[in-house]
Amino acid sequence: NYFTDDERIAPNVIQSLASNEVFVFGSNPEGIHNGGSAYVALQKFGAQMGIGEGIQGQSYAIPTTGCSFNEVKKAIDRFTEYAALHPQKKFILTAIGCGNAGYTPDKIAPLFKQAYEFGNVYVPITFYSYVR
């Protein structure tokens, strides 16, 4: 396996997924997936143009770019609820919000603490110290 199940750290580069894994990426509300991890989600993991939030194929979009911090927090709360309702899935997070959206891990990562505690969410190493 490319990450450890006890620490649940996502790989820096995600090239493929097992059938029960979901690629979680930062998006924009319009669902224009033309850069960064959103483009990877579009090319490899079933993201669809025009859908800015939620499950799409083997990916889950969280709108961050062009969103206020409070809007990002609410979207992460909706993701957290989704992860809790799907314990059979492994959610592999990218460094959501820390690219085009311009946020930093110390601001975004703590918002994933509850989701991480469910045991089926894997975070980038840059988020790890904020969620464990």
Side-chain angles (χ1 to χ4, degrees), residues 47-62:
Q48 297 171 10
M49 279 291 189
I51 301 176
E53 183 173 356
I55 194 78
Q56 307 166 44
Q58 255 187 293
S59 65
Y60 187 103
I62 296 177

Side-chain angles (χ1 to χ4, degrees), residues 4-127:
T4 62
D5 279 329
D6 50 335
E7 295 168 319
R8 297 192 320 278
I9 296 174
N12 288 331
V13 177
I14 302 162
Q15 296 287 344
S16 62
L17 295 171
S19 62
N20 68 326
E21 294 174 339
V22 177
F23 181 83
V24 184
F25 67 100
S27 181
N28 53 56
E30 299 79 29
I32 301 169
H33 309 308
N34 58 5
S37 60
Y39 186 72
V40 174
L42 178 68
Q43 292 297 308
K44 294 187 173 193
F45 304 124
Q48 297 171 10
M49 279 291 189
I51 301 176
E53 183 173 356
I55 194 78
Q56 307 166 44
Q58 255 187 293
S59 65
Y60 187 103
I62 296 177
T64 57
T65 301
C67 297
S68 72
F69 184 77
N70 195 45
E71 289 169 328
V72 172
K73 182 185 181 312
K74 287 178 180 175
I76 292 171
D77 288 346
R78 289 187 293 271
F79 163 76
T80 298
E81 185 176 329
Y82 186 86
L85 292 171
H86 296 85
Q88 75 284 8
K89 299 276 188 198
K90 289 182 179 181
F91 296 92
I92 315 299
L93 270 66
T94 60
I96 290 162
C98 299
N100 293 340
Y103 293 104
T104 54
D106 64 306
K107 296 285 186 240
I108 296 295
L111 302 178
F112 286 101
K113 187 168 179 52
Q114 183 182 2
Y116 182 79
E117 288 172 359
F118 292 131
N120 63 338
V121 172
Y122 293 69
V123 297
I125 190 73
T126 54
F127 284 23

